[in-house]
């Protein structure tokens, strides 16, 4: 799961469990604390929540394309292979012994070792350390993220046998099309961040486990274990509160089947922000925000059109979705307010 917004990443996990499972935000945080789930930079070089068993092969798979794309950015701040031969061992020394340091604390340690982290240099150093599988995020220190050594963080996890690059590519394609299908090759390339040739090879290796179809003139694939997909039902009696940066939106290049072009900018901003989306009948019908007042959840809904929630069935479905989100956060449900979607 995409995890720049940590709070929403936890809800993205929780919202995919059946309501009867009654999973809570605390349970997701506990899984991170027990190191069953790791927050680190993975696909496309952005933060994700990743199952501990998958972290090493996934980071290794994504690294070559990321290193190629970021080479110019490193050169801009005088970071080359020779520089990293000094910097990466220094980071390891700073974090050895299970230490979890905030960015400020780690940069202070590096400064004592005469390593410059000023300006953009510090961020790019940390990015490379994550790309090479040296670091991941530890437990938050208040509202601040902490950094720790990936191998030490995963010490309690059984280390899976090393897979070949071909096997990893095949597995990633199988998982993507099983969880996101029907989807196109272009969707997979965007989502994975792989080079085009590798993404195409991954799809070809995965094809025996996939079913192929045609949608709007493009080839699409999905898991052969699933029946042929049907069109979105369009029922307004089904409402979901999607997390910010949710895979339902972020996992594809063409999002027109689920959000009108005229409204897309209200949920997907030009600077790459994916707002929490209100889903009605499988389509994005607005955005939402939540706040806590007197230990109760207040939900602020901003539909694109007032009619989106006007029916009795849709109102009841919204109430149910809001109640589920409140329960996930261990709160009673207070008000549901309706406003205007942001421009």
């Amino acid at each position: 799961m995409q995890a720049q917004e940590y709070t929403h990443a936890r809800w993205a996990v929780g919202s995919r469990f059946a309501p009867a499972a009654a999973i809570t935000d605390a349970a997701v945080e506990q899984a991170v604390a027990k190191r069953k789930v790791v927050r680190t930079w993975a696909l496309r070089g952005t933060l994700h929540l990743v199952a501990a068993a998958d972290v090493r092969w996934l980071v290794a798979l994504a690294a070559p394309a990321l290193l190629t794309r970021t080479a110019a950015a490193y050169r801009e701040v005088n970071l080359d292979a020779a520089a990293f031969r000094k910097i990466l061992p220094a980071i390891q020394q700073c974090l050895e012994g299970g230490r979890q340091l905030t960015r400020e604390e780690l940069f202070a340690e590096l400064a004592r070792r005469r390593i410059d982290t000023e300006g953009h240099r510090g961020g790019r150093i940390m990015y490379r350390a994550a790309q090479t599988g040296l670091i991941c995020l530890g437990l938050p220190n208040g509202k601040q993220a902490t950094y720790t050594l990936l191998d030490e963080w995963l010490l309690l996890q059984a280390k899976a046998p090393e897979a070949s690059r071909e096997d990893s590519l095949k597995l990633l394609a199988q998982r993507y099309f099983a969880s996101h299908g029907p989807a196109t090759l272009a969707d997979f390339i965007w989502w994975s961040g792989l080079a085009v040739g590798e993404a195409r090879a991954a799809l070809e290796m995965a094809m025996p486990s996939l079913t192929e179809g045609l949608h709007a003139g493009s080839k699409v694939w999905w898991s052969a274990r699933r029946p042929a997909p049907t069109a979105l039902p369009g029922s307004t009696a089904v409402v979901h509160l999607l997390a910010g940066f949710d895979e339902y939106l972020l996992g594809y290049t063409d999002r027109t089947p689920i959000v009108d072009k005229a409204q897309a900018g209200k949920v997907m901003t030009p600077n790459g922000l994916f707002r929490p989306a209100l889903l009605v009948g499988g389509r994005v019908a607005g955005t939402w925000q939540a706040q806590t007042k007197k230990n109760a959840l207040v939900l602020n809904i901003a539909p694109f059109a007032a009619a989106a929630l006007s029916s009795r069935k849709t109102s009841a479905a919204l109430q149910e979705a809001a109640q589920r989100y409140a329960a996930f956060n261990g709160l009673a449900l207070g008000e549901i307010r309706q406003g205007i979607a942001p421009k």
Side-chain angles (χ1 to χ4, degrees), residues 46-182:
T46 58
L47 278 168
H48 283 75
L49 290 179
V50 182
D54 295 328
V55 172
R56 289 187 177 94
W57 71 262
L58 198 54
V59 169
L61 189 63
L66 291 174
L67 293 173
T68 298
R69 289 173 192 154
T70 54
Y74 290 128
R75 288 194 296 269
E76 286 175 2
V77 289
N78 297 317
L79 289 170
D80 57 16
F84 281 114
R85 280 196 291 272
K86 174 186 176 185
I87 293 169
L88 296 182
I91 291 174
Q92 180 152 353
Q93 291 170 10
C94 294
L95 296 174
E96 278 177 336
R99 300 183 77 191
Q100 300 176 55
L101 300 181
T102 65
R103 185 185 182 97
E104 184 179 351
E105 290 168 343
L106 181 53
F107 284 4
E109 294 269 3
L110 291 174
R112 282 192 278 272
R113 290 167 171 79
R114 298 183 179 180
I115 293 173
D116 178 17
T117 58
E118 293 299 315
H120 294 300
R121 207 167 189 269
R124 287 170 187 168
I125 285 171
M126 301 308 294
Y127 195 55
R128 172 60 72 93
Q131 286 175 335
T132 56
L134 178 63
I135 64 169
C136 66
L137 291 182
L139 297 179
N141 181 356
K143 293 185 178 181
Q144 294 188 70
T146 67
Y147 301 88
T148 194
L149 294 177
L150 178 63
D151 281 344
E152 288 190 354
W153 191 248
L154 293 180
L155 198 57
L156 300 179
Q157 300 293 327
K159 195 166 184 176
E162 283 192 26
S164 69
R165 188 164 183 83
E166 289 74 19
D167 286 344
S168 296
L169 285 166
K170 178 182 177 181
L171 180 58
L172 187 65
Q174 287 174 329
R175 291 192 178 180
Y176 174 76
F177 288 101
S179 59
H180 292 69

Side-chain angles (χ1 to χ4, degrees), residues 171-223:
L171 180 58
L172 187 65
Q174 287 174 329
R175 291 192 178 180
Y176 174 76
F177 288 101
S179 59
H180 292 69
T184 66
L185 173 60
D187 292 329
F188 178 56
I189 292 169
W190 145 251
W191 175 85
S192 67
L194 293 170
V196 174
E198 279 205 317
R200 186 176 286 113
L203 173 57
E204 288 174 358
M205 287 187 284
M207 277 186 184
S209 65
L210 304 177
T211 298
E212 181 181 312
L214 199 64
H215 173 72
S218 297
K219 287 183 179 180
V220 293
W221 291 267
W222 64 93
S223 172

Side-chain angles (χ1 to χ4, degrees), residues 10-41:
R10 299 195 302 271
W11 171 234
V13 174
S15 65
R16 282 163 169 79
F17 279 78
I23 188 173
T24 64
D25 187 51
V28 180
E29 286 206 279
Q30 188 177 44
V32 175
K34 289 186 173 181
R35 308 179 190 190
K36 295 179 179 179
V37 177
V38 179
R39 190 176 177 220
T40 194
W41 293 262

